[in-house]
Amino acid sequence: MSNGALLVAGTTSDAGKSVLTAGICRWLRRRGVRVAPFKAQNMSNNSAVTPDGGEIGRAQALQAAACGLVPDTRFNPVLLKPGSERSSQIVLRGKPHGFLDAADFARLGPMVADTVAESLAGLRRDFDAVICEGAGSPTEINLRHHDIVNMGLAREADMPVVIVGDIDKGGVFAHLFGTVALMSREDQALVAGFVINKFRGDVGLLRPGLDQLEGLTGRPTFGVVPWHLDLWLDAEDDVAYGRVLGRPAPPRGREWLDVAVVRLPRMSNATDAEALACEPGVRVRMTIEPSELSAADLIVLPGSKSTVDDLAWLRSRGLDAVIEEHAQAGKPLLGLCGGYQMLGRVIRDDVESRRSEVPGLGLLPVEVDFAAEKTLRRPTGTYDGVPVGGYEIHHGVDHVADGTPAMFTLPDGTGEGARLGAVSGTHWHGAFEHDDFRRAYLTEAATRAGADFTVAPGTSFAAVREGMLDLLGDLVEEHLDTAALLRVIADGAPAGLPFLPPGAPGAPSQAQGTMGR
């Protein structure tokens, strides 16, 4: 295979584009194909830091792992990080590039088209195949003229498209048919077929519908992927989470350790809690219920894309009082990144919220000043002598009062974060993915909470993630027509595919930009 490509589009958000892309990447890698992931434009507050200090979507970092690659800013050249319902920060090739208001969204495509084109062209030169993930639906007809991530990308790159539909939402055949029928004739010509995702039951019951869909569209369904319990890690956004994270195994001790993660409106990098949920006996809940926070052994304040606004929301719900009572009772409280900033005495923010000086919760002797330049790095250190690492993505710069114990000790002997009794905070994301640190922290938290909880000595987060990627590769291999999929990736969409009326009136005859093959 040489210079192969595929766009995995979806009828809706959360249809399964990210995980199917990761599964195809893992399956191709097993076959010896040099494969890379790509998402031209992502909108998510869950992100990762590349080795060279760039920022990309968390899903693309997972897809890179499926390919056996380290994260690269080319995999996600445009990342939008919503700070409110009307404004997002633009991250271009891994670096902050200003802010975008909803009213100005149409200008984004022309502004970043060259960056997208260069990134994709470079990947296609360096790899045998590039598996691209779309965003939302490919038939957002109000946005088509400026599209750079769905059919606009496919058209310019002459790339075949597979459309994924989530049967769990209902109406999957109508979704698949309607998605194609609302495309222009030129866009439809690139849609090679379909995949149905999250199916439960006897696939034979679907066969009449699959046959009718092919008869109506002239396009096959490449396979039906079953719903699986173990596909929950690295969710693209926190809306994909249920009330309890993961599939917690029974405790090793006599009691469960209850962890409550405050579901902030602008929560970022919620994936921090996933490593905790991999531990047997640790029950992790995303919640805004005061009763669940009060009953928790450990409360976690996660990251936020808008720290000051989320702190105001916390106070408006009365959750600040619940959190303060928890800390005053000597029970463990942890703040991560934006959550850490909220725990301090004061936040001075003229960058994100532009609200100037705002009092924090006052539970740590820390003051935070927001800097115009974002901190992006992958530090290492120790926690009471236990090795740990993480990654940082923040504008806030913390000033910790002299004599306050640090959360982590850096190689040069300086500290990061702060600890005061049972309250601790850090700017580091991803620290709990380090097994020895996670076990040490949970053991200490259980002691402070008075829980009869014992950590499992053999839990490996890296092994859990690799197991999930292998499972995705297995699902692709077992449930998709991989021979047909290989032909499409290598040769493109078949010629002469039928046009489904009515098509999209006014759709462009060619996409904007210069993303040539």
Side-chain angles (χ1 to χ4, degrees), residues 16-87:
K17 299 183 295 292
S18 297
V19 293
L20 183 61
T21 299
I24 293 172
C25 286
R26 177 51 61 103
W27 162 66
L28 286 173
R29 183 192 176 205
R30 286 175 178 173
R31 295 179 57 89
V33 177
R34 294 181 307 120
V35 58
F38 183 75
K39 185 161 185 171
Q41 173 191 307
N42 198 349
M43 179 176 280
S44 176
N45 279 330
N46 284 343
S47 57
V49 177
T50 63
D52 61 351
E55 187 178 4
I56 64 173
R58 180 85 178 190
Q60 281 61 67
L62 179 72
Q63 292 158 1
C67 299
L69 303 171
V70 297
D72 187 318
T73 56
R74 293 183 300 173
F75 299 159
N76 178 207
V78 183
L79 174 63
L80 302 180
K81 304 193 73 175
S84 70
E85 293 184 0
R86 298 195 58 82
S87 177

Side-chain angles (χ1 to χ4, degrees), residues 343-417:
L343 293 178
R345 293 170 176 165
V346 66
I347 300 170
R348 288 179 283 267
D349 178 15
D350 293 315
V351 177
E352 284 185 353
S353 69
R354 303 185 186 277
R355 298 266 293 278
S356 192
E357 187 166 306
V358 174
L361 296 177
L363 298 174
L364 285 175
V366 175
E367 296 186 0
V368 176
D369 289 292
F370 271 59
E373 185 174 347
K374 181 184 286 190
T375 298
L376 292 165
R377 58 191 174 204
R378 296 172 64 167
T380 59
T382 58
Y383 176 85
D384 293 341
V386 177
V388 63
Y391 58 96
E392 294 184 53
I393 307 172
H394 57 91
H395 284 280
V397 178
D398 57 331
H399 308 283
V400 183
D402 291 343
T404 305
M407 178 83 175
F408 301 123
T409 302
L410 303 180
D412 64 3
T414 59
E416 195 287 327

Side-chain angles (χ1 to χ4, degrees), residues 7 10 87 293 306 309 314 331 373 421 445 494:
L7 175 68
S87 177
L293 292 174
S306 189
D309 289 337
L314 200 73
K331 298 172 74 175
E373 185 174 347

